[in-house]
Amino acid sequence: MPNNCKELRDALAQCLQESDCVMVNRNSAAECLREPLSDTLPIKCLQLKKGFGDCKRGLVDMRKRFRGNTPVNYTSITSDGEKDAGYQLYGGKSAFSGGVKETSGNEPIPQDWRELENEKYRAELEALARKK
């Protein structure tokens, strides 16, 4: 169980070693994680720091004792370029894998059901007017 957060820890250490706080300013990694210098870290390092903290907190969180800590695999996120669809398994399948379809943002806005009903009504009226 203590090795749950090992990948995040290694990724955070690597990110800190490559940051300007360590490379250019010659501060230690521990100093860069503390408040005055933590603002100078890149966003990726800040995200890894938060994720690592959440992972360590999840190890002792009693609300997660049955389901376990969220299995975060940093290598699976970075190598594929995208996250898995969901992490909770129910019956061998992910709980959130098929529930949400991905969108590009360029989809046409679907018509409101009232507008569709009005169009049908207008078409019926035109059909009746043509019969007369």
Side-chain angles (χ1 to χ4, degrees):
M1 198 120 159
N3 291 333
N4 255 355
C5 308
K6 187 175 189 314
E7 290 181 5
L8 281 174
R9 181 180 175 272
D10 294 341
L12 177 61
Q14 181 68 30
C15 185
L16 286 172
Q17 289 299 321
E18 295 170 357
S19 70
D20 286 343
C21 184
V22 173
M23 295 296 287
V24 177
N25 300 337
R26 295 292 191 197
N27 295 314
S28 70
E31 292 171 350
C32 290
L33 287 174
R34 292 198 186 92
E35 186 51 42
L37 297 175
S38 67
D39 298 333
T40 63
L41 291 175
I43 292 177
K44 179 181 174 185
C45 292
L46 292 175
Q47 290 171 342
L48 286 170
K49 177 184 172 188
K50 180 170 180 3
F52 181 63
D54 289 344
C55 183
K56 294 297 268 186
R57 194 173 301 111
L59 290 175
V60 295
D61 191 1
M62 293 305 288
R63 292 174 291 176
K64 297 181 181 182
R65 68 178 179 257
F66 293 117
R67 190 175 290 172
N69 203 6
T70 307
V72 177
N73 284 337
Y74 178 73
T75 54
S76 68
I77 294 171
T78 56
S79 63
D80 297 344
E82 60 185 41
K83 280 188 169 182
D84 294 332
Y87 65 90
Q88 295 178 343
L89 295 179
Y90 292 103
K93 293 185 274 184
S94 176
F96 307 113
S97 64
V100 178
K101 70 174 190 175
E102 295 200 19
T103 60
S104 65
N106 296 327
E107 290 80 20
I109 299 172
Q111 279 189 320
D112 188 28
W113 64 273
R114 290 168 282 213
E115 292 174 12
L116 293 173
E117 291 295 323
N118 286 337
E119 287 179 10
K120 288 179 187 177
Y121 178 71
R122 287 185 194 119
E124 289 176 8
L125 288 179
E126 286 180 21
L128 287 174
R130 288 184 189 162
K131 286 183 181 179
K132 289 182 183 180

